[in-house]
Amino acid sequence: MRTTIDIDKDLLEEAMKMSTVNTKKALIELSLKLFIKQKRKESLKAKLGNFDLNLDSDSLEEMRKDD
């Protein structure tokens, strides 16, 4: 999908320097994926209660094997 947006140049440049991607498109896609992941964690945490939910993909795979 093609979309035209105005993004702060300095913000974009700083994010490009800090990331491992080398295109603006890849940076924006990575940012959206990370945003969605964070919001899903927040939502799950709100539903489950107040405790630290620091699960990575390896931990989740181990938990799935136990079932």
Side-chain angles (χ1 to χ4, degrees):
M1 176 170 85
R2 184 170 295 276
T3 303
T4 303
I5 57 174
D6 289 323
I7 301 174
D8 182 277
K9 180 183 173 187
D10 295 334
L11 186 63
L12 188 63
E13 287 176 359
E14 184 175 355
M16 289 290 292
K17 288 177 187 175
M18 299 175 87
S19 73
T20 58
V21 298
N22 55 10
T23 67
K24 293 175 190 175
K25 178 183 176 182
L27 177 66
I28 291 169
E29 288 178 354
L30 175 64
S31 300
L32 290 170
K33 287 176 185 176
L34 291 172
F35 175 78
I36 291 166
K37 183 177 180 179
Q38 179 63 34
K39 289 300 178 180
R40 285 181 177 163
K41 278 185 180 180
E42 289 172 9
S43 176
L44 182 59
K45 189 173 181 179
K47 290 176 185 175
L48 294 175
N50 294 330
F51 61 91
D52 195 19
L53 184 62
N54 288 324
L55 299 175
D56 58 20
S57 58
D58 294 333
S59 301
L60 290 173
E61 280 300 316
E62 272 304 310
M63 291 171 65
R64 288 182 183 127
K65 288 179 186 175
D66 292 341
D67 290 338

